[in-house]
Amino acid sequence: MRLLAPGYLVAAAATAMAVTLLHFLSRRRPRPRLFPTARFVPMAASQASALTRRPSDLVLLLIRLTAVLASGLALARPMAETPRRTTVRVVVADLSAAVADSAAAREAAAALAGDGDTVIFVRGPERGALSAGLAAAVRAALRLGARAESLELALVSPLTEAQWDEATAAIRALWRGRALLVRTRPAPATRYPVEPLAAADPLRTTIALAGFPAPRSGAPLVRLRRSGPLSHDDSAFASSGGTAVLWPRSTAATDSADAVYSAGAAAVGPFPALAAAPGGDARGIAWTNRGIPIAWESSYGSGCLRVIGFDVPASGDHALRTGMRRMAARLLAPCNAARNPEPLDTARLAALAGGPSLWSGRDATFAAPPRGATPLVVALLALAFASLAAEWWWRRREPEPAA
Amino acid sequence: MDTAAYGNLLDSLRGVTWPSRRVALAGMAGSHLSKLRGMSAEFTEYRPYRQGDDPRRIDWKLLARSDRFFVRLTSDRAALGTVVVVDASASMGFPESGLGKWSQACLVALGLAAVAHASGDPVGLVLAGAGTARAVRMRSRRGVLGEMARVLASIQPSGEAALARLLPALARTPRVALVSDLLDDEEATRGEARRLEVSGTEVHVVHIVAREEAEGLPGGFLAVDPERPQVRRTFSEAGRTAYVESFASWRLSTARAWRASGAAYTEVMSDEPAHRAVRRVCSQRRSPHR
């Protein structure tokens, strides 16, 4: 059984102790006796306080304690609880696009789950898979907390940088216990063909070093335009599932960005910065060091349109830097494909693993307390009222004076 | 009340007389000195013969010696009707075990009635309290004492006495003996008794006091007046001395007040032998305040 408001019971216990103490300090009333010359007895205090070894009027004390404790217990709102298992495990099996072998991931998850444990499968794109899995795990924990002493999280996932998004850390913090991390084989990074660029284009070196092959046959999945605007044909390309990227050259740069960062990638400039956001439902996918969006993406049909607001400088070794290659891979990746199989760094892995202790099931319970009074509370209140009535009746009983 | 106790009491009082404290009015022949001059053998004085005197009362020997005519005068005796008023209020039933005051009051009342009856005086009984008006008509015949004993045995003290309202009805009674603990409206009772005295009734007050009242009960308790339950006082050992002094002072002042009103006052403890108490009452002489 648990108490929804244990403070009332504590207060009732303190009151019961005070009542008991008062019965030890009770004022003694002398026994009445018929005495015809009572009027000659000098006036004196009819009661005297004294500390006695035994409590006075045990029956009255018992009635009062019953009333106080029953009231306190009723106000504390006891709730009957079902038996709890020691530990319940929530296994999150990542079957998103970041996973190379889904069957192996299933087997790994099944091996971790026992009787009474819960397995959650996460499907969909790579990006946000961790957040989705963790959110599902937290929801499951709120349901399972009522029948478990402790909850454990097991995360079966490639645990790549591409799966980490801005919400992952916050959602992970909702699970207030440790997590068992089981890394599966990530899907290899794929560089989908892009349109070839001019030889003097500094972005060409970056793309080549990032591993983007030229299209051999068929239409590329990513169409890169170095001068705008995007044409109707580009829009149709995006609508049919392609990714149209407008990455203007820096000849029209009006500003510069010292650094640019995106999910899983960061490049240090300076970079020439171009015009402002395209508007509409475009969302930022890369930002300058000042937090100003510098690259945007908007969904279009089955694919998406991207506008990049900075360029690779013509001079310098930016094209050779790892950060720039990752940024190019990020900005030129198709809308729904694996982007970055790079494993999570140590800090993010530590954040996912969490502390050493398990999450207490009692803390995780989200069951709303029952509205109104349960039968147990009604019975306790009835007992308290009956005790109060008995206490009033018992005190009214006056002993007959003896002669 | 045990009839054997009555028998022992009456045996103890054999020969005791209860003379009147004043000259009795003319009435039935009895043992009390009468205001009238009678033909008894008790010589009192000589008076010169006047015309109209009975010649048989002329003392011839004195005539022979003095050659003068003198009439021999003697005293007369009359009976004195006595009513014993017994307080049967709740305060007389103390202590409850043994009914000390009530038993003593019954013994003293019956003892006084027996002494008066033995002198040929008519006796009667009036009970005050007990929620009922019981009385035994004043008579001098033999069975009156038994009837008084039966009436007293049938009563349990309770209620209030209201002696002050009862006494005026006894205005023509020659002698009234009031047996009470005087814890009722004593001042009003004394006032009515004073009126009786002025009207010629001889009033005797027998103040019954329980030994437990005079000395207090052991231990501490809440004293409750049986006739006035709202009077409640805590009796403790620390206050015993003050209580004893207060009660004794009241008894002393009450005795003085009764004597000053002209009544014969006698205090009787509940544990005093009844025959001794009766003797003390009967030996009361004329009040020095009259």
Side-chain angles (χ1 to χ4, degrees):
Chain A
M1 177 176 295
R2 68 186 273 242
L3 302 174
L4 297 181
Y8 285 105
L9 188 60
V10 173
T15 305
M17 288 176 60
V19 169
T20 304
L21 187 62
L22 285 175
H23 274 253
F24 277 97
L25 293 175
S26 62
R27 297 161 70 91
R28 288 182 296 175
R29 300 179 69 183
R31 189 167 57 94
R33 296 186 67 174
L34 291 175
F35 199 64
T37 53
R39 66 177 188 250
F40 299 102
V41 177
M43 296 286 283
S46 62
Q47 294 181 350
S49 297
L51 184 63
T52 58
R53 287 184 177 181
R54 296 178 59 187
S56 63
D57 205 338
L58 289 175
V59 175
L60 187 61
L61 173 63
L62 185 63
I63 292 173
R64 286 172 171 170
L65 291 180
T66 302
V68 169
L69 294 176
S71 304
L73 191 57
L75 292 174
R77 298 188 69 190
M79 265 183 58
E81 286 190 328
T82 55
R84 292 172 177 262
R85 281 182 57 191
T86 306
T87 304
V88 171
R89 179 176 282 171
V90 178
V91 181
V92 177
D94 185 357
L95 302 181
S96 67
V99 177
D101 188 349
S102 297
R106 285 176 184 276
E107 286 177 12
L112 290 172
D115 288 338
D117 295 337
T118 297
V119 181
I120 299 171
F121 297 103
V122 180
R123 296 181 178 83
E126 169 189 46
R127 180 174 169 75
L130 285 177
S131 297
L134 291 170
V138 171
R139 283 197 297 272
L142 298 179
R143 288 193 319 271
L144 297 171
R147 55 182 175 92
E149 293 290 337
S150 302
L151 297 166
E152 185 180 21
L153 174 65
L155 195 55
V156 180
S157 171
L159 302 175
T160 63
E161 286 286 342
Q163 292 181 295
W164 187 281
D165 61 14
E166 292 79 5
T168 303
I171 297 174
R172 174 61 184 89
L174 296 177
W175 185 283
R176 297 194 290 272
R178 70 169 184 249
L180 175 65
L181 304 180
V182 178
R183 176 167 273 163
T184 57
R185 190 160 55 88
T190 54
R191 298 287 183 257
Y192 290 90
V194 299
E195 290 283 351
L197 301 177
D201 193 336
L203 186 60
R204 177 182 179 182
T205 307
T206 303
I207 292 173
L209 291 175
F212 284 94
R216 294 195 182 91
S217 61
L221 294 182
V222 180
R223 183 178 291 181
L224 175 62
R225 297 289 182 231
R226 290 290 274 164
S227 61
L230 294 174
S231 64
H232 177 73
D233 187 54
D234 294 331
S235 300
F237 170 74
S239 176
S240 61
T243 303
V245 180
L246 175 62
W247 198 331
R249 295 199 64 165
S250 61
T251 54
T254 58
D255 197 358
S256 68
D258 296 329
V260 174
Y261 70 92
S262 178
V268 178
F271 302 107
L274 302 176
D281 61 347
R283 63 180 180 89
I285 58 173
W287 298 264
T288 67
N289 58 305
R290 294 196 293 269
I292 301 171
I294 200 69
W296 302 265
E297 177 181 296
S298 56
S299 299
Y300 198 90
S302 301
C304 58
L305 302 173
R306 290 200 190 114
V307 176
I308 312 300
F310 71 97
D311 195 13
V312 180
S315 61
D317 61 346
H318 299 87
L320 304 177
R321 296 178 185 172
T322 303
M324 191 62 229
R325 292 204 299 272
R326 287 182 178 175
M327 183 63 65
R330 167 72 179 91
L331 296 177
L332 293 177
C335 299
N336 301 308
R339 296 192 180 95
N340 188 2
E342 293 285 333
L344 289 172
D345 58 22
T346 309
R348 287 180 174 175
L349 282 175
L352 278 180
S357 56
L358 297 174
W359 192 8
S360 168
R362 296 180 189 277
D363 295 336
T365 301
F366 191 65
R371 291 189 175 184
T374 62
L376 178 59
V377 171
V378 171
L380 288 170
L381 286 176
L383 177 62
F385 280 121
S387 299
L388 288 174
E391 193 262 357
W392 172 80
W393 172 79
W394 186 264
R395 280 191 294 111
R396 282 195 65 191
R397 288 168 60 251
E398 283 261 352
E400 293 295 329
Chain B
M1 175 58 66
D2 188 6
T3 53
Y6 285 141
N8 295 336
L9 173 66
L10 297 180
D11 285 342
S12 302
L13 294 175
R14 209 181 292 277
V16 176
T17 58
W18 190 7
S20 170
R21 291 189 298 128
R22 64 181 82 174
V23 177
L25 295 173
M28 292 191 314
S31 60
H32 304 279
L33 192 64
S34 171
K35 280 188 174 179
L36 296 178
R37 294 284 185 253
M39 295 297 291
S40 71
E42 188 177 344
F43 169 78
T44 56
E45 62 180 337
Y46 284 110
R47 181 171 57 80
Y49 176 82
R50 294 195 293 262
Q51 186 175 2
D53 286 340
D54 187 355
R56 289 176 297 177
R57 296 175 70 183
I58 296 175
D59 192 329
W60 297 107
K61 290 181 180 176
L62 186 59
L63 175 64
R65 288 198 300 271
S66 65
D67 203 20
R68 295 174 70 179
F69 289 91
F70 287 91
V71 176
R72 186 184 179 88
L73 296 178
T74 60
S75 62
D76 204 352
R77 294 281 171 181
L80 191 70
T82 303
V83 172
V84 181
V85 179
V86 182
D87 182 354
S89 62
S91 61
M92 290 295 289
F94 178 81
E96 194 175 18
S97 60
L99 295 177
K101 287 203 300 188
W102 175 248
S103 301
Q104 184 74 316
C106 292
L107 286 171
V108 170
L110 202 64
L112 290 173
V115 169
H117 186 259
S119 300
D121 296 332
V123 295
L125 175 70
V126 173
L127 287 171
T132 178
R134 296 292 300 272
V136 174
R137 191 168 54 85
M138 192 166 55
R139 300 192 296 275
S140 61
R141 69 180 190 190
R142 286 179 61 184
V144 66
L145 290 180
E147 189 176 344
M148 290 172 65
R150 285 191 294 275
V151 169
L152 289 171
S154 67
I155 293 295
Q156 282 290 330
S158 64
E160 294 184 354
L163 291 169
R165 290 200 297 268
L166 189 144
L167 288 181
L170 303 174
R172 292 175 181 269
T173 305
R175 180 162 59 187
V176 171
L178 180 60
V179 183
S180 170
D181 58 3
L182 301 180
L183 292 177
D184 201 353
D185 193 355
E186 181 267 336
E187 201 170 317
T189 304
R190 181 159 30 89
E192 292 300 329
R194 173 67 179 155
R195 291 188 182 87
L196 290 181
E197 277 279 336
V198 170
S199 66
T201 300
E202 182 178 319
V203 177
H204 289 260
V205 175
V206 182
H207 185 187
I208 306 294
V209 178
R211 180 65 62 183
E212 293 84 350
E213 288 174 339
E215 297 175 354
L217 292 172
F221 59 95
L222 184 66
V224 180
D225 191 325
E227 293 180 21
R228 287 180 291 274
Q230 67 276 12
V231 177
R232 291 169 173 251
R233 303 280 174 84
T234 300
F235 189 99
S236 63
E237 291 298 327
R240 176 188 297 276
T241 303
Y243 161 76
V244 170
E245 289 178 357
S246 174
F247 187 49
S249 172
W250 174 77
R251 297 203 318 269
L252 189 61
S253 62
T254 299
R256 285 178 181 160
W258 277 98
R259 292 191 178 109
S261 71
Y265 174 89
T266 307
E267 181 180 289
V268 174
M269 284 293 172
S270 59
D271 56 353
E272 182 182 355
H275 66 88
R276 195 174 297 170
V278 171
R279 287 174 188 269
R280 286 200 295 122
V281 174
C282 294
S283 63
Q284 287 277 355
R285 289 291 176 256
R286 187 182 183 87
S287 167
H289 294 278
R290 287 297 298 264

